[in-house]
Amino acid sequence: MDQTPAQPNRAAHDREIESLAEFDEVVAAHGTLTRFRVQAVDLTARTDQLLTADTAGAVFLGCPMEPEAAAHVRSAGALVFPPIPGLPFDPYRGFAYTPDELFASLDDGYEATPDARAYAWFQRTKADGDVFASMLRAVHDDSVSDALDELLAGARVVGVMGGHAMARGTTEYAGAARLGRELTRAGFTVATGGGPGAMEAANLGAYAAPFADGMLEEALVLLAKAPSFRPSVTDWARAAFEVRTRWPGGGESVGIPTWFYGHEPPNAFAAHIAKYFTNAIREDGLLARSTAGVVFLPGAAGTVQEIFDNATPNYYESRGEPTPMVLVDEEHWTRRLPAWPLLRSLAEGRAMESRISLVDRIEQAPEALKRLRM
């Protein structure tokens, strides 16, 4: 049976204002901002409304406003968290990132992009013991989680896990892309770790889903000219944007990467990118939100970790009924990295036993996932 995704608290989310249009709508409809949470909205042009609306109990998170308006709402009983100058990211952001946002300034090289600058800031601050920097990271990651909950409410999410080393131009990469395309066409939301390799391939497949089949084959050829993000992230990313420019308006999917692995850039084919500083929160959140099952492609240490991070709540049924787990490539998962025998032993005699499967070829994964969900 299908798992029903956990629903965010709608009453709480309905009191969040995350855009100027929502701000205007709330003020026009209610004439008050009492108990609303206004998140990362530029209010410098809304001084009159802030001076006249009731703001008692409101919370403003990183909202630029004129000094007169800020002083007034504070005196009226609102809590104001001001914007933090000089950061390469907004800790209070209300939405997931987009590829265009993270890769802005790519023409000047990857090092000039907001993604690279955020990683550089993280490298400078992650070990300095500064409680302010750690607080900013925590606030940012919680804001991203909140945005992700809103984005995926009601979606049937299938996670596709796999290593970053899978190169463009290989049969394995093409297979992972076709998997992402088939899952998207079947009505699932594909979610990956958001990085290169197998993760990019699955997001690419989701992007290709609305187009005729030939589009993906052409895109694979274009991407193969930059097989890896090494030695040049810039060239690798530019090839992806070339595909996006040639075929605009692709299908949507989600990438959930981390600056903890800063050497791995996010891929440009996920429409929504929920990027975290804390990898543990990112890993658990990705798997917890994959409520329709997870497909594990060949990978190394990170993918092995994800298998058993997913197996643990399935073993204890701590998130309810176990969700499907499909491992792809018998040689890889029984001999090279024998995760499958251990997973099968763990599952024996438990409810999760009927929700795990090992297949040899990636083309078999969608049917296995379907069978496990029955």
Side-chain angles (χ1 to χ4, degrees), residues 7 13 20 22 52 58 64 71 106 119 133 158-159 170 172 177-178 222 243 267 269 272 281 283 287 291 349 361 369:
Q7 298 296 315
H13 284 293
L20 201 57
E22 287 183 344
T52 55
L106 183 63
Y119 175 60
V158 172
T170 62
E172 293 80 8
R178 294 186 188 104
L222 287 174
V243 170
N267 76 74
F269 293 110
H272 309 283
I281 297 175
E283 289 274 9
L287 293 167
T291 51
R361 302 190 316 277
L369 186 66

Side-chain angles (χ1 to χ4, degrees), residues 159-162 166 172 175-176 179 294-299 303 307 325-334 337 340 343 357-366 368-369:
V160 179
M161 311 299 164
M166 184 183 288
E172 293 80 8
L179 172 65
V294 183
V295 178
F296 297 91
L297 303 177
T303 310
I307 289 172
M325 300 176 64
V326 179
L327 277 62
V328 176
D329 191 329
E330 291 184 11
E331 171 70 24
H332 188 85
W333 294 122
T334 61
L337 295 174
W340 173 251
L343 180 64
S357 179
L358 173 67
V359 299
D360 194 41
R361 302 190 316 277
I362 200 166
E363 295 81 9
Q364 299 170 310
L369 186 66

Side-chain angles (χ1 to χ4, degrees), residues 141-232:
D141 286 0
D142 193 64
S143 297
V144 168
S145 290
D146 182 72
L148 198 54
D149 284 339
E150 295 178 16
L151 176 69
L152 295 178
R156 296 189 300 160
V157 180
V158 172
V160 179
M161 311 299 164
H164 68 264
M166 184 183 288
R168 296 167 172 174
T170 62
T171 56
E172 293 80 8
Y173 184 96
R178 294 186 188 104
L179 172 65
R181 184 177 64 183
E182 183 167 347
L183 291 171
T184 302
R185 287 177 174 176
F188 295 105
T189 296
V190 169
T192 78
M199 297 171 279
E200 180 189 55
N203 289 127
L204 167 64
Y207 188 88
F211 301 100
D213 289 355
M215 172 269 175
L216 180 57
E217 306 312 313
E218 291 184 59
L220 290 170
V221 172
L222 287 174
L223 291 170
K225 67 185 182 182
S228 172
F229 62 97
R230 297 188 177 103
S232 173

